[in-house]
Amino acid sequence: MITVDSSPYSNSRKFKEFSHYIASPQRYYLLPFKFHRLSPGKEVIVNEIGDLLVIPMGTTGRIVAGEINPDNISDQELFADLIANFFISVTPLPELIEVLATRYRTKKSFLDYFTSLHIFVISLRCEHTCHYCQVSRVTSDKNKYDMKRFHIDAGIAIMMKSPNPHVTMEFQGGEALLAFESIVYAVEKTKIEAEKHNKKVTYVICTNLALLTDEMIQFFFNNGILISTSLDGPAFIHNRNRHKPHASSHQLVVEGIERCRQRLGEEGISALVTTTALSLEHPEEIVDEYVRLGFHNIFLRPISPYGFATRSTDKNKYETARFLDFYKKALARIIQYNLDGYFIREDYASIILKKMLTPFPVGYVDLQSPAGLVNNVVVFNYDGAIYASDEARMLAEMNDLTFKLGTLGEDTYEEIFYGNKVSTLSEVMINEALPGCSECAFQSYCGADPVFNHTTQGDLVGHRPTSAFCERNMEIIRYLILTMDEDKKKEKIFRSWITGKS
């Protein structure tokens, strides 16, 4: 290295003295982390394994500039926190680098066993006429719109080939209970195959409960089957969202929930909210209905931009900002119930909080990187088509086969899961390598969703500044962090949602 002497009295170029090139001693070395502005006075830093620190605005600049001095009383606590949480190190390589590596492996351990969730669209028939339904539902022709035994057998065979020792078999529709005989066949067949292949199987049926019978409930009980239903709030919302001709769908689902609880127990049935334009006007009433019916969790999710749901734009389309306003009001109501002594958690926040506050992975497909499609879920359609996710199946109803992986009974396991289609998708499934995500402070709490990107932006990679997925998750994550930092009572509530202990 040559340094030019810029003195006006010198016309020659010469080296400085050796002492000039000796690096000044460093107090610490930077480890990889990202930062984000939380509010006008606060920012957050997040490292590669999701550890976070909320710090005063401008502190990140001081850290990067090497200005945090443990000899100063005002910096001592911050310095200790930065060391303990792997933001800086007093040596070029942290002494506990193996601990850091183990925690990172744990975060990604959902990849260890590959696909777990196998969705069987057992029938496309349905007796409801929900305006937000994402698939083209039909009411007749059992032979054409129910999954054939041949396809059921082929789907079970693929499920048994999964390297995952614990798989989930989920039945969807249409209305799954319209094909109850097929469900019975599939469960009995799977029980036999699971014993042969040493698999543990969890069974789930997604149903509106309108067709529920005592015989069905007994079958659920005998086989340990979990029930997932939809409850969009009080009757005036639910009946508008989930219309059933000549009947109250709300009354039917409430009665069905109670009947299932009596036989299957509290944990045997869960419910989901789908947020329509009408729902946005009533966040508190929706939460109140879940509490009235004795639920201890609620999943607030926006409407999906897939399939036939997009045709009813007046009821189903709204700006992300409106959903976020709804979400925060509903979350405030949920928090207040907890403060008043009634335990109820919001599931989407709980998933994010688990990623923030624990070293463990989550099984929620939308918030995984690599993305959960294929890695965690695969869908077997009623007609034998295989899709990378449930959303991919909905796209296919609009003749978009971008995410079709193959056909049951025609393609081998290797062709389905290791073929060209999955190889192409794998290039856009890791948010650590996506533009806009790779430098985002919230990257470790979020996921990659090429299906959403393709649907809303016409591109598998997507454009973060105009992505509703990005806008929604960034604001919810920011809001949760700021809430915990500003109110320790609420932080305690959030932590209880992870542990299940109030």
Side-chain angles (χ1 to χ4, degrees), residues 156-353:
I156 293 171
I158 288 177
M159 182 168 64
M160 291 300 118
K161 278 198 168 186
S162 171
N164 201 318
H166 187 171
V167 296
T168 297
M169 185 181 205
E170 181 174 299
F171 299 100
Q172 290 192 12
E175 170 47 48
L177 294 187
L178 280 168
F180 181 64
E181 299 86 353
S182 295
I183 293 176
V184 172
Y185 171 82
V187 170
E188 296 298 337
K189 174 86 172 181
T190 300
K191 286 164 63 178
I192 295 171
E193 294 300 312
E195 187 171 349
K196 291 180 184 176
H197 293 85
N198 196 28
K199 299 280 188 190
K200 182 178 180 182
V201 183
T202 298
Y203 301 97
V204 180
I205 298 177
C206 300
T207 169
N208 58 40
L209 298 177
L211 303 175
L212 192 66
T213 66
D214 291 340
E215 176 195 3
M216 293 174 181
I217 295 175
Q218 187 61 42
F219 179 77
F220 303 156
F221 176 79
N222 291 342
N223 292 279
I225 297 173
L226 303 174
I227 303 301
S228 176
T229 193
S230 292
L231 177 65
D232 286 357
F236 75 92
I237 298 176
H238 188 91
N239 286 338
R240 286 270 299 276
N241 285 353
R242 303 183 58 79
H243 177 67
K244 180 173 172 60
H246 316 298
S248 167
S249 60
H250 180 267
Q251 181 180 345
L252 289 169
V253 75
V254 170
E255 291 173 354
I257 289 169
E258 182 55 32
R259 290 171 66 193
C260 285
R261 281 178 175 166
Q262 289 175 3
R263 194 71 178 105
L264 308 179
E266 293 272 337
E267 301 300 319
I269 183 165
S270 60
L272 292 172
V273 177
T274 298
T275 307
T276 62
L278 172 63
S279 309
L280 295 177
E281 302 171 12
H282 305 281
E284 290 87 0
E285 290 92 332
I286 291 172
V287 174
D288 291 347
E289 181 71 354
Y290 269 71
V291 172
R292 183 183 76 82
L293 294 175
F295 282 100
H296 293 282
N297 66 297
I298 182 172
F299 200 137
L300 301 173
R301 56 178 186 163
I303 204 148
S304 300
Y306 306 106
F308 287 86
T310 58
R311 291 184 174 180
S312 184
T313 55
D314 60 325
K315 298 178 181 178
N316 299 331
K317 189 173 182 179
Y318 45 77
E319 298 299 321
T320 302
R322 288 191 63 203
F323 173 78
L324 289 169
D325 182 63
F326 160 86
Y327 183 88
K328 290 175 184 178
K329 289 177 180 177
L331 191 65
R333 189 72 153 199
I334 294 166
I335 291 171
Q336 189 57 53
Y337 271 112
N338 281 270
L339 290 171
D340 293 341
Y342 183 88
F343 178 85
I344 179 171
R345 69 172 181 264
E346 200 286 304
D347 284 342
Y348 196 72
S350 299
I351 292 165
I352 294 172
L353 290 165

Side-chain angles (χ1 to χ4, degrees), residues 387-399:
Y387 297 104
S389 70
D390 199 28
E391 293 77 13
R393 188 257 301 200
M394 297 168 189
L395 282 184
E397 293 292 333
M398 301 295 288
N399 299 314

